[in-house]
Amino acid sequence: MARAPIAFDEFEIDPARGELRRAGAPVPVEPQVLDLIAYLAARAGEIVSRDELIEAVWGGRIVSDSAISSRINAARTALDDDGTAQRVIRTVPRRGFLFVPEVAQEKDRETDAGAVQPERRSIAVLPFQNISGDPEQTYFSDGITDDIITDLSRYPELFVIARHSSFAYRGSGTRPIDIARELSVQYIAEGSVRRAGNRIRVTARLIDPWAGNELWAERYDRELTDIFEVQDEITSLIVNTLAGQITRQHYLRSRDSSTETVDAYEHVLRATQLALRVAPADNARARVEAQKAIAIDPKLARARAILALTYLNEANNVWVADPEASNARAYEAVARAVGDDDRDPWAFAMLGIAELWHNRAHDRAVAAMRRSIELNPSNVHFRSLCSYVLAFAGQARDALDEIDRALRMNPHPLPVYLGFRGRALLLLRRFDEATPCLETMVTMMPGHSNALGYAAVAYAASGRVGDAKATVKELVSSNPHYRLAVLRRILPFSDPSDLALITDNLARAGLPD
């Protein structure tokens, strides 16, 4: 079980007291069920397999499916959930379980008298230790550290301490809280490198020294065929995870803050998290947050870019009666974003999608996406969004290559990006491979109309017409605007055969005209 208290919705898990509380009042729960809840909550947003759960909660003992189901049901009961709604613990068929709510581990705990945490989003990356026993290998551990510092510096919302300042603490034994106070940073990243023969092992950790918490730790083992290729791969994994963890921490903090204490960037952070869920209610909230950011800072390009994303979401999921009007609003917002800041990668990424949907300008769409990657090549979001555009531009093979590279760079992708992979496979007519990706997207993003639509296409194209019809029935009941005539009019496929693949199979599945 996690050591630090974990909070979500009205609940809090306190491992030190072995207690689950709701609105401050203890909730009766068996110890094993509490362990199960704590383990899933500590992995919120990730699918946990049955084997992982058995290893963590039952110590790897042989456990029947009925015993696991019994404990899952007891956990849902304790959390005021049930097997139908699955609002907190969702069963992902054939894969495991997903803890749905956003969680926050205890923060703001004093670890040093008089320590005052800085407000800015900032990090110091300490030199990774060479623990290979060979001083000659220090160049590799230093190279990984240098690359992480360089790539993190591409995130404009994050202040990264320069190399000479963080390397000054090599071997000093200085406590993380003292380093954080001296450099005035919120987070510390550190790690180690061990080389043995043709194998390399790199560990990395992200620490919140002000709260005394380890926020994330991971180990990477690789075959050392090309040392620089391995260095690039591991650096990409670490950078994307570090940036994601820091963004997540600030989203949780901003969510718990009053409107008066939140700055423009925090509103953008909220808007981005909400918009990428691609669900109608979250999308509406994202638009409000983006508009609040613009009201505070009219020149903040990312705020207008995310505002454009909310219009693009509602248009391409056909949540509205007039998707063309939403696409026009998106293009207007993102054109202003690029005009305000021609080095903001989010602005160019959204410009690419807007060029696609509003103007059907496939070449300009791809060029804008490539520009977003140039501005921040280490950020997995922009490669994933580039895959999205390439699929519509008749370049499904390139779309698959781009999304696969993005998924290698980020071990914990957003479910919408798995959907991008499913669509690329679908357009390559690899239906059996596409189906699991699209099913995962449906499970994890129930408000995403296109997730249901593309899953229905995959089922129909592979001969599973019954599943296709059931999926379309669910789609029609949740979205009255999603109709064949609209899709034929608005889908921006450059290749007519790709459009026919989608619409013909949706017709076969029973989508009304």
Side-chain angles (χ1 to χ4, degrees):
M1 190 193 299
R3 290 167 293 176
I6 296 177
F8 54 92
D9 297 340
E10 300 178 276
F11 293 94
E12 183 182 42
I13 302 168
D14 187 342
R17 301 179 63 174
E19 192 171 73
L20 173 68
R21 294 188 289 269
R22 181 177 189 177
V27 177
V29 61
E30 295 179 20
Q32 191 176 63
V33 175
L34 181 62
D35 287 349
L36 185 151
I37 295 171
Y39 185 75
L40 290 176
R43 301 276 299 276
E46 301 176 29
I47 296 177
V48 177
S49 69
R50 284 177 176 262
D51 288 345
E52 289 177 283
L53 204 58
I54 289 169
E55 182 66 33
V57 178
W58 282 271
R61 299 190 303 274
I62 296 175
V63 182
S64 67
D65 286 347
S66 61
I68 296 173
S69 297
S70 172
R71 292 298 184 271
I72 290 289
N73 290 337
R76 285 178 174 144
T77 299
L79 299 173
D80 195 22
D81 195 10
D82 60 61
T84 301
Q86 297 191 9
R87 181 183 56 81
V88 180
I89 300 174
R90 184 178 299 159
T91 300
V92 182
R94 298 182 296 280
R95 298 192 65 195
F97 303 96
L98 174 72
F99 195 86
V100 178
E102 294 278 1
V103 306
Q105 288 203 336
E106 177 187 302
K107 53 185 180 290
D108 300 327
R109 178 160 48 88
E110 287 293 330
T111 58
D112 194 65
V116 179
Q117 183 174 176
E119 290 299 318
R120 61 182 176 175
R121 293 162 288 278
S122 48
I123 185 170
V125 183
L126 302 185
F128 277 42
Q129 298 179 52
N130 169 29
I131 57 174
S132 301
D134 178 5
E136 294 294 322
Q137 297 303 317
T138 299
Y139 78 91
F140 183 79
S141 55
D142 284 358
I144 286 224
T145 311
D146 283 338
D147 284 352
I148 291 171
I149 291 172
T150 299
D151 287 356
L152 282 176
S153 298
R154 295 179 185 270
Y155 291 76
E157 65 269 25
L158 186 61
F159 179 79
V160 184
I161 292 296
R163 179 190 194 276
H164 72 273
S165 295
S166 57
F167 270 63
Y169 291 93
R170 187 201 298 271
S172 68
T174 308
R175 295 184 307 162
I177 184 62
D178 293 328
I179 296 174
R181 186 171 57 243
E182 290 169 15
L183 296 178
S184 190
V185 295
Q186 288 183 330
Y187 303 104
I188 299 287
E190 62 180 19
S192 63
V193 178
R194 179 191 297 274
R195 182 175 179 178
N198 289 324
R199 300 287 299 178
I200 195 87
R201 170 175 291 178
V202 178
T203 62
R205 296 197 306 155
L206 177 65
I207 300 168
D208 180 351
W210 305 93
N213 290 340
E214 180 181 281
L215 300 174
W216 164 81
E218 190 60 86
R219 183 180 71 194
Y220 304 95
D221 290 298
R222 294 293 186 275
E223 192 76 26
L224 200 58
T225 52
D226 182 331
I227 193 166
F228 296 110
E229 185 177 304
V230 170
Q231 180 174 323
D232 288 345
E233 177 191 357
I234 292 176
T235 297
S236 294
L237 286 165
I238 294 172
V239 167
N240 276 285
T241 308
L242 285 174
Q245 288 288 339
I246 291 170
T247 298
R248 178 180 174 81
Q249 290 297 317
H250 280 275
Y251 167 69
L252 292 172
R253 289 176 182 174
S254 75
R255 190 186 63 177
D256 295 335
S257 301
S258 68
T259 303
E260 292 75 17
T261 62
V262 174
D263 63 18
Y265 176 74
E266 302 294 352
H267 283 299
V268 170
L269 190 57
R270 292 179 183 180
T272 306
Q273 295 284 326
L274 291 164
L276 289 174
R277 293 177 185 173
V278 197
D282 288 327
N283 200 63
R285 292 167 56 205
R287 184 171 301 161
V288 170
E289 292 293 341
Q291 289 167 336
K292 288 178 179 177
I294 292 168
I296 296 171
D297 184 355
K299 291 290 188 180
L300 185 57
R302 182 168 167 184
R304 293 191 188 276
I306 301 304
L307 177 64
L309 176 57
T310 68
Y311 287 119
L312 292 164
N313 278 344
E314 71 181 17
N316 66 53
N317 279 278
V318 203
W319 293 332
V320 291
D322 188 358
E324 288 95 336
S326 294
N327 283 328
R329 294 188 186 99
Y331 188 77
E332 180 184 0
V334 78
R336 172 75 181 272
V338 172
D340 286 340
D341 186 350
D342 64 0
R343 297 196 59 79
D344 186 284
W346 276 102
F348 279 95
M350 292 305 107
L351 176 63
I353 300 176
E355 289 281 15
L356 184 74
W357 284 89
H358 182 57
N359 296 325
R360 302 295 195 275
H362 297 90
D363 289 345
R364 293 207 303 267
V366 173
M369 282 299 176
R370 294 298 186 197
R371 179 60 176 154
S372 73
I373 293 173
E374 288 174 9
L375 289 167
N376 194 340
S378 62
N379 191 322
V380 71
H381 287 303
F382 307 123
R383 293 192 179 278
S384 301
L385 293 168
C386 186
S387 170
Y388 172 92
V389 166
L390 289 169
F392 283 105
Q395 302 177 46
R397 178 69 257 177
D398 291 341
L400 183 62
D401 290 343
E402 202 67 79
I403 193 64
D404 281 347
R405 182 174 181 183
L407 294 175
R408 287 194 299 272
M409 291 168 66
N410 183 7
H412 306 296
L414 294 173
V416 68
Y417 297 154
L418 295 176
F420 294 172
R421 188 173 197 274
R423 176 166 41 213
L425 289 165
L426 198 64
L427 297 176
L428 290 168
R429 278 60 173 175
R430 291 160 59 176
F431 305 123
D432 289 341
E433 293 176 71
T435 301
C437 294
L438 297 168
E439 286 176 333
T440 298
M441 190 179 177
V442 168
T443 300
M444 300 181 71
M445 305 184 74
H448 197 310
S449 296
N450 281 329
L452 290 165
Y454 285 111
V457 171
Y459 290 141
S462 57
R464 297 169 57 180
V465 179
D467 289 333
K469 288 183 178 293
T471 304
V472 162
K473 184 178 180 181
E474 181 181 350
L475 173 57
V476 169
S477 68
S478 63
N479 187 346
H481 303 296
Y482 208 95
R483 296 293 184 267
L484 276 173
V486 178
L487 296 179
R488 291 191 182 103
R489 188 177 78 241
I490 71 168
L491 285 176
F493 287 105
S494 64
D495 186 339
S497 68
D498 289 340
L499 177 60
L501 172 72
I502 303 302
T503 55
D504 290 353
N505 280 292
L506 284 172
R508 188 175 297 120
L511 184 66
D513 199 56

